[in-house]
Amino acid sequence: QLRSRSRGETSGTALDCMRHGLPLIVNAHGSMAELPRDAVHLLADVFEDRDLVAALELMRNDARHRADLGGRAAAFVRQHHDPVRIAARYAAAIEAFAALPRTGLVRLPEALAGSGQGEHDRAADRAIAACAALSVRPAIAARQLFVDITAMVGEDLRTGIQRVARALLEELLARPPAGFRIEPVYASGSGFRYARRFTLGFLGAKSNALSDAAIEPRSGDIYFMPDLAHESVIRNRGTYRALRDHGVSVNFLVHDLLPVQFPDYFPSYAAPLHTQWLEVIAEADRAIGVSRSVAKDLEAWCRASDTPHNPHLQIVYSHHGADLAASKPTTGLPGGADGTLQLLKSATSFLMVGTVEPRKGHAQVLDAFELLWAAGRDEALVVVGKPGWMVKPLVKRLAHHAERNRRLFWIENASDEYLARIYESSACLIAASYGEGFGLPLIEAATYGLPIIARDIPVFREVAGEHAYFFEAASADELAAAIEAWTRLNRNGQAPQSRSMPRLTWAESAENLKRLLLGRNG
């Protein structure tokens, strides 16, 4: 193995020969000059032909010399070029580099000692060390994006807001922002822990492989709460302040301000609780509304509120996605589902999706359909949603209605698979909410090409635009008339169609969120 005019490479071929005990002639060029003289026959870098001839003759004529040289070469490679030993040396070097002071921190101990604070006790020293550790990111550490899934860890309801949080979590885990590690977390008292057991189960792995240690935040990390957990957020107000003090960006997804805007539609405790929650949000770095309407409502609340808030709070918005199949959908159909779906297909079925609560307008819609049925109409009303609050009389009506399972269908617990089949079997979506943060069923309906009848509120205009039929109805009579008007338009092919309504997938929604979380608002 002879070299000339080398550019500095190390010869893997020479080492391979030595590893196999092959006696080797080399010249002292580049890195081969470093090979031990008792393990190779080393010629000068620039040698004469007679030198090479002599080496070749020695190798040819002296079998003992060849064997000794090959044996020492193999032993040398085993001792000095063993992969395990080399890897250990790399690891030791990396750890040594990581332990070196970073630029700007070399004089930190001296600066603290000379801060004029006098002698510190051990507790104060530990506090200073903890603050320094939080505020300084190790040079080789990836930044963390903490995704708060406290509500999911407690009880994953798989409906409403948690359906949104679940879809976003899956997308973030699959495609984290460059330079970040996604770390789902949950509140534990005053503070947070890594939700590693939950996440392993979420990803289909053994959930006991890791433990839920306390989080280790560093300057440059990002905290993001996509869910709604009032008590946890309010309890951790001091934690958020500490995180921000140490350079962690604190961000919340704001789904709505409805308990404050429509207190009559909620239990008496809801508005004060939501107000306390908003007061914590107002101290954050960024609040991301789920719609432009929610962002505007939050801006108005901040202006009107006497609560101190972060003057640099960024209020932005990002729309939801709506592909049910891409958000770890629940599966399974109840007994009799096929028969129910066939009934929905055979009738002109109007669908309502969402928790049964006063704000959603279920009572007015049911009143309107009773008027239509009394007039001899055969349209069916399908309600998909669990019972909520302040609706005991309405729940009783739905459960014991004379038209139940004939022209009225109430499906309390529908898996994502069942809901998709119901969308496919229905003729029209009715969105009758008096107030909403976004209106996810509108997007889902458009995904299945379902026409939409929606109450004329700003957020529904924002989401659906010209692709929905809007109504204003102060009474059941007016709503019944609006349904009849839509039916005539639809019969004549003149009703607005939702199929071409602009909408995002959850992957696109998550991309928007990542851009906003990184402070890229453009």
Side-chain angles (χ1 to χ4, degrees), residues 333-338 340:
L333 302 178
D338 289 336
T340 299

Side-chain angles (χ1 to χ4, degrees), residues 375-390:
R377 303 292 292 269
D378 290 327
E379 288 88 347
L381 174 62
V382 187
V383 176
V384 177
K386 298 177 181 179
W389 48 89
M390 300 166 58

Side-chain angles (χ1 to χ4, degrees), residues 382-432:
V382 187
V383 176
V384 177
K386 298 177 181 179
W389 48 89
M390 300 166 58
V391 287
K392 284 186 178 180
L394 176 58
V395 166
K396 187 175 181 180
R397 282 178 68 192
L398 290 170
H400 302 290
H401 202 283
E403 294 293 335
R404 181 82 188 266
N405 296 327
R406 295 174 57 215
R407 289 185 290 189
L408 172 65
F409 300 86
W410 181 26
I411 302 168
E412 296 183 51
N413 296 290
S415 66
D416 291 332
E417 179 187 5
Y418 194 17
L419 179 57
R421 297 279 298 277
I422 293 169
Y423 273 118
E424 293 171 345
S425 303
S426 300
C428 182
L429 177 82
I430 297 184

